[in-house]
Amino acid sequence: CAWIMVLFWSLDFFSNFLTSFTKEDVLVRDFRAIAKQYAKTWLFIDFAVVSVDWLAIGLQSVSDPSGKGNTDAKKYIKVIRFLKAFRLVRVLAVLRSGRFAQVQEAAVRRTNVLG
């Protein structure tokens, strides 16, 4: 299950470079503009979350499966799990901002103008 979540958030990280956004009721689909917008908003937070996930998987793979020893790795894993709560903050912020609704509305307006 941990691998699925890490792969999902890793793909989400890269897909954000391809996710258009609206600016002044215009749908922006230019890669450079999207990358700049992402860098100004969520890039560093997303990178930190994904990095923490990969670090946790790395620490879990080297920790002692018997449950004895390697207490430093266990402490880091607990800290990393706590830090992963920031992902929830990001998801809630995206939902609160209405980003998905804005993109959909702009796409509908553009379709109505063209069609």
Side-chain angles (χ1 to χ4, degrees):
C1 183
W3 279 99
I4 293 170
M5 293 302 295
V6 171
L7 290 174
F8 172 81
W9 288 106
S10 296
L11 290 173
D12 177 68
F13 175 77
F14 291 109
S15 71
N16 280 308
F17 285 101
L18 304 173
T19 304
S20 58
F21 66 96
T22 57
K23 184 176 183 179
E24 298 174 6
D25 289 336
V26 175
L27 186 63
V28 178
R29 296 186 292 183
D30 177 58
F31 177 77
R32 288 180 192 224
I34 293 170
K36 283 182 181 179
Q37 178 68 19
Y38 186 41
K40 291 177 184 177
T41 55
W42 292 103
L43 175 71
F44 298 107
I45 294 170
D46 288 349
F47 181 76
V49 169
V50 171
S51 299
V52 166
D53 285 342
W54 283 107
L55 181 63
I57 285 181
L59 286 174
Q60 285 175 347
S61 67
V62 299
S63 67
D64 185 9
S66 69
K68 301 175 185 174
N70 209 353
T71 56
D72 288 338
K74 290 178 187 174
K75 287 178 186 176
Y76 289 127
I77 290 170
K78 287 181 182 180
V79 170
I80 288 170
R81 286 183 182 153
F82 178 75
L83 292 174
K84 288 167 69 172
F86 286 115
R87 178 183 301 128
L88 178 62
V89 173
R90 186 216 189 277
V91 170
L92 292 174
V94 168
L95 292 174
R96 183 182 293 173
S97 72
R99 178 174 150 200
F100 298 116
Q102 291 172 354
V103 171
Q104 182 183 13
E105 288 175 18
V108 168
R109 277 191 231 124
R110 185 163 193 202
T111 303
N112 289 339
V113 170
L114 296 175

